[in-house]
Amino acid sequence: MIDRRTLLKSAAALGLLGPTHLWAASNRQSIAAESADDLPPLVGKLSVYLGRGEGGLYDDIVAAIEKRNPELELSIRRAPSAALANTLVAEAKAGVSRADLFWSIDASSLGAVAAEGVSRPVPAAIRRHIKPDFRYEAWAAISGRLRTVPYNPTRLDAAAIPDDIMAFADTDLKIGWAPAYGAFQSFVTAMRVLEGEARTRQWLRGVKTQARSYAGELGVVMAVARGEVDLGFANHYYTLRLKQGKPDANVDLALTRNDAGSLVNSSGVLLLNDNPLAANFLRYLLTDEVQSYLAREAYEIPMAPGVALPQGLPERVQPPSLDLTQLADLKPTLDLLRETRVL
Amino acid sequence: MNRLPRPILHTTLFVCLCLGAAGAVQAHGELSPVDDLTAHIGDYENEVADMRSTVDSIVADYAAGEAVADRVDALVETWEEVEFHEAVETHAMPLYPSIWIALGGLREAVDESGADADVQQWQRRLEQALYEGVGALKLAATQQDDEADTAETAAHGHGAAADERPTITIIKDNLQSVVKTYREGDAESAQSLLHQTYIERFEGIEGDLIERDADLVTDLEKDFNATLPLLMEKQASADDLAAEVEKMNAKLDRAQTLLDDAAKDQSSVF
């Protein structure tokens, strides 16, 4: 049994890097995703903290892994990612460790835990099965989601859409947004980190004069398709799902470049000890089968190379260079949204 | 301490209960060992009283110059073993880190020979966290009893166990609770439960629904985020609120049909 206090004291803080340069379906320096058929069977006890996400799909994946590995004794704790991150940090501070692995919907909660020095680096042999632009030492990216600008092509030519997110405040376009939505708040947080508070405040005030608010980002995309607004700000999958159900919906995707408007956030896994079972469980999440399932059923961007992207995803994406863990610092964003009366 | 600046630890007790209820079911449907809170509240109170007594004794002896580090370690072990621990972990999760934080703070203050005031500060935080946990469990017990009644009704009608209720059923039950809570005069809690139901339940199923009937999803989003909250803000009558919920129920029934279709079409992982 691990002496957790010794572990805690001796663990070095791990550096975290955000996505670096150009996102593309690049396979450079990568090894194709493994097949579950090639993995060792999972045998023994494993405790997983599972930050909720993607409806029940994560649960479906867990159930499928369990079914495939009948000798795996899995203990799952489910809760919002931020609550689990707080729990892990608190447990670590108290000198105990109850989880082997933390699988979270967002990178910021992973970063907050990793920053406490309680995790283990992702083994290089596993990192090789992740796309190079999304390889981090401290955590393993599993699947991504992209900020986009859904627009109505019957009201707007693609060429008229700025490729700089900050420029939207200087247009007369009718814009849909969902300020109460978590994904939108992460996007504004990214803008605050990248552009500074003053510019973000100015942007919020500028866009507010031409914006219409919706409860959720599906509502934004639907409003774009109906022509209530010219364009909006939303995660990519709402548009892809809508187009899947209604191929003739009047909505297409535009992207900004190297700024918060093209942020790629990621779900991921943190290994919390040296239990090889945890590492092998992570390998299952990066298999071709699981990655394809996430892309197929949730329209998430697979992080393993060689796995087909969700149908309709823009091919050329240029996300900003950003430490995703900084997205955890939400309070100043909420303050800003309230100060500008956007919220 | 680098805590996440997310609102989750600052939510109301009511919200804690929503989260706790969601966590009451362990992996793949089996019931938590602490699935009858009402029967165990007295035990939890006794355990917390014992822990408080221990903490008081430790802090007093520390102030008198005694070495108490081993006793703090023993206190942590006690916390790990008591039934109260599992109950908080399962039914009042957002409060759970607070207890660990306070225990860790107490341990650190003692290990580093902190001033008496520092140690006493962690004593107060720990005792406060423990009693907040008891309070949360008492309220969770009430909700658990309500859910048991609902489950019994459901079992007679549909043969469904409480822990296996479809999400749509949970949403409909929560909406009934929203109306009931509002009718009892607690609009704030009703709003919290409504919002939590949207975030914790509806958002989880809208992905499949979008592909099949995006207009229905938009309509329900409007109900969750505009129609019902506005009715409550305008202090509409509980009957008016109930009438809107009835309309939502019809939409949710259609959503259930669509989800059943989606389940038939969903591919397998492996």
Side-chain angles (χ1 to χ4, degrees), chain B:
Chain B
M1 171 100 194
N2 181 21
R3 295 177 63 191
L4 276 178
R6 293 286 297 266
I8 194 66
L9 288 182
H10 306 289
T11 49
T12 64
L13 208 51
F14 194 87
V15 173
C16 298
L17 298 181
C18 296
L19 297 172
V25 177
Q26 302 298 308
H28 312 302
E30 69 268 29
L31 281 174
S32 157
V34 284
D35 57 356
D36 187 359
L37 289 173
T38 302
H40 292 90
I41 284 293
D43 297 334
Y44 305 147
E45 287 180 314
N46 290 336
E47 288 171 348
V48 166
D50 287 346
M51 287 182 68
R52 179 179 182 176
S53 173
T54 303
V55 174
D56 290 348
S57 169
I58 287 172
V59 173
D61 291 344
Y62 180 81
E66 291 186 24
V68 296
D70 289 347
R71 289 162 64 190
V72 175
D73 287 346
L75 177 68
V76 172
E77 287 175 15
T78 299
W79 156 242
E80 287 200 78
E81 289 166 2
V82 291
E83 287 185 6
F84 173 67
H85 180 129
E86 187 180 354
V88 172
E89 186 179 14
T90 305
H91 294 285
M93 228 285 282
L95 293 175
Y96 177 75
S98 309
I99 298 173
W100 274 119
I101 289 166
L103 275 167
L106 182 65
R107 170 184 264 163
E108 199 170 291
V110 166
D111 284 350
E112 294 177 0
S113 303
D116 289 351
D118 290 341
V119 174
Q120 286 160 8
Q121 180 202 340
W122 287 112
Q123 173 193 19
R124 285 193 296 275
R125 281 187 62 169
L126 177 57
E127 292 179 352
Q128 182 181 354
L130 290 170
Y131 282 104
E132 280 178 356
V134 172
L137 292 180
K138 283 181 178 177
L139 285 172
T142 308
Q143 189 181 55
Q144 194 177 59
D145 292 343
D146 286 348
E147 284 179 352
D149 292 343
T150 305
E152 191 178 351
T153 306
H156 290 147
H158 310 289
D163 54 311
E164 293 173 348
R165 288 180 298 158
T167 301
I168 292 286
T169 304
I170 295 171
I171 291 172
K172 290 171 77 173
D173 288 346
N174 283 5
L175 289 174
Q176 292 306 322
S177 295
V178 168
V179 173
K180 181 183 172 193
T181 306
Y182 183 74
R183 199 181 288 282
E184 290 169 353
D186 190 353
E188 187 179 344
S189 295
Q191 290 269 24
S192 294
L193 180 56
L194 177 67
H195 182 64
Q196 206 66 26
T197 301
Y198 171 74
I199 294 290
E200 296 287 325
R201 301 296 181 183
F202 184 70
E203 280 219 314
I205 59 172
E206 70 175 7
D208 283 332
L209 290 175
I210 291 168
E211 290 176 32
R212 284 161 178 79
D213 191 342
D215 292 330
L216 177 69
V217 179
T218 306
D219 214 13
L220 282 165
E221 284 216 336
K222 186 180 165 194
D223 290 337
F224 271 111
N225 295 293
T227 309
L228 294 192
L230 281 174
L231 278 175
M232 288 189 268
E233 276 180 30
K234 291 177 180 174
Q235 300 180 328
S237 73
D239 287 344
D240 286 349
L241 189 70
E244 283 301 325
V245 165
E246 271 309 301
K247 290 180 195 169
M248 279 184 78
N249 283 340
K251 296 170 198 170
L252 289 165
D253 288 340
R254 168 160 169 70
Q256 182 63 66
T257 302
L258 295 173
L259 289 175
D260 291 342
D261 292 343
K264 288 175 197 163
D265 296 341
Q266 189 168 322
S267 60
S268 59
V269 179
F270 296 111

Side-chain angles (χ1 to χ4, degrees), chain A residues 153-170:
Chain A
T154 67
R155 293 171 59 97
L156 203 60
D157 191 279
I161 302 171
D163 63 2
D164 173 2
I165 193 68
M166 304 309 289
F168 282 81
D170 302 321

Side-chain angles (χ1 to χ4, degrees), chain A residues 149 160-177 187 191 195 198-211 231 233 256 259 340 342:
Chain A
V149 181
I161 302 171
D163 63 2
D164 173 2
I165 193 68
M166 304 309 289
F168 282 81
D170 302 321
T171 68
D172 58 359
L173 296 166
K174 289 185 180 174
I175 296 172
W177 65 7
F187 151 67
M191 182 184 291
E195 311 287 345
R199 290 198 74 202
T200 304
R201 180 184 293 107
Q202 193 177 6
W203 185 87
L204 287 168
R205 285 180 174 151
V207 172
K208 188 188 168 198
T209 61
Q210 62 212 64
L231 53 78
F233 304 127
T256 61
D259 58 34
T340 52
V342 170

Side-chain angles (χ1 to χ4, degrees), chain A residues 31 62 119 210 216 244 260:
Chain A
I31 295 179
V62 167
S119 61
Q210 62 212 64
Q244 178 70 22

Side-chain angles (χ1 to χ4, degrees), chain A residues 295-314:
Chain A
R296 194 170 61 240
E297 299 293 338
Y299 295 79
E300 292 262 301
I301 301 165
M303 288 298 170
V307 178
L309 294 170
Q311 195 177 354
L313 185 76

Side-chain angles (χ1 to χ4, degrees), chain A:
Chain A
M1 185 170 174
I2 296 171
D3 178 342
R4 286 131 173 176
R5 262 190 286 179
T6 302
L7 181 158
L8 180 60
K9 286 174 182 171
S10 62
L14 300 170
L16 293 168
L17 294 172
T20 52
H21 302 293
L22 181 70
W23 157 274
S26 165
N27 290 350
R28 63 187 161 86
Q29 302 168 358
S30 300
I31 295 179
E34 295 181 284
S35 166
D37 293 338
D38 298 329
L39 297 186
L42 302 176
V43 178
K45 293 182 178 178
L46 186 71
S47 173
V48 173
Y49 282 15
L50 176 56
R52 292 197 190 103
E54 304 316 317
L57 284 184
Y58 287 10
D59 282 325
D60 292 345
I61 290 168
V62 167
I65 292 174
E66 275 192 303
K67 186 178 177 184
R68 196 180 172 92
N69 296 277
E71 293 184 69
L72 174 64
E73 297 176 52
L74 203 54
S75 167
I76 301 274
R77 182 197 278 189
R78 298 171 178 79
S81 294
L84 286 177
N86 273 321
T87 296
L88 282 165
V89 171
E91 288 177 348
K93 285 282 183 185
V96 298
S97 171
R98 300 160 64 86
D100 298 302
L101 180 149
F102 181 26
W103 180 10
S104 170
I105 183 68
D106 67 272
S108 59
S109 54
L110 296 170
V113 177
E116 295 294 318
V118 298
S119 61
R120 289 288 189 267
V122 178
I126 295 179
R127 280 209 301 272
R128 288 189 306 165
H129 294 287
I130 299 173
K131 288 173 180 169
D133 288 337
F134 291 89
R135 284 181 196 163
Y136 315 109
E137 187 177 359
W139 58 281
I142 300 296
S143 59
R145 48 198 182 277
L146 168 69
R147 294 300 295 175
T148 58
V149 181
Y151 72 98
N152 186 318
T154 67
R155 293 171 59 97
L156 203 60
D157 191 279
I161 302 171
D163 63 2
D164 173 2
I165 193 68
M166 304 309 289
F168 282 81
D170 302 321
T171 68
D172 58 359
L173 296 166
K174 289 185 180 174
I175 296 172
W177 65 7
Y181 221 53
F184 178 85
Q185 292 170 2
S186 289
F187 151 67
V188 175
T189 304
M191 182 184 291
R192 194 173 50 73
V193 170
L194 291 166
E195 311 287 345
E197 194 162 310
R199 290 198 74 202
T200 304
R201 180 184 293 107
Q202 193 177 6
W203 185 87
L204 287 168
R205 285 180 174 151
V207 172
K208 188 188 168 198
T209 61
Q210 62 212 64
R212 184 165 177 172
S213 292
Y214 296 86
E217 294 195 336
L218 170 65
V220 170
V221 173
M222 293 293 290
V224 170
R226 285 194 303 268
E228 279 178 23
V229 291
D230 298 319
L231 53 78
F233 304 127
N235 278 350
H236 76 276
Y237 41 75
Y238 294 107
T239 300
L240 300 196
R241 279 189 181 278
L242 178 61
K243 294 287 272 187
Q244 178 70 22
K246 292 173 73 174
D248 57 347
N250 284 324
V251 58
D252 285 328
L253 286 179
L255 300 170
T256 61
R257 290 194 297 178
N258 298 317
D259 58 34
S262 55
L263 176 73
V264 176
N265 205 338
S266 177
S267 67
V269 160
L270 207 59
L271 297 173
L272 297 167
N273 55 38
D274 292 324
N275 182 352
L277 195 53
N280 282 330
F281 186 89
L282 168 57
R283 289 173 67 189
Y284 265 87
L285 299 184
L286 288 168
T287 58
D288 182 67
E289 291 90 337
V290 171
Q291 292 281 302
S292 297
Y293 183 79
L294 283 167
R296 194 170 61 240
E297 299 293 338
Y299 295 79
E300 292 262 301
I301 301 165
M303 288 298 170
V307 178
L309 294 170
Q311 195 177 354
L313 185 76
E315 290 182 1
R316 296 182 64 82
V317 181
Q318 298 177 59
S321 181
L322 175 71
D323 176 353
L324 290 177
T325 63
Q326 290 180 269
L327 301 182
D329 195 9
L330 198 62
K331 189 174 181 305
T333 300
L334 293 172
D335 291 344
L336 206 52
L337 290 170
R338 289 180 184 124
E339 177 197 320
T340 52
R341 298 186 180 277
V342 170
L343 261 185

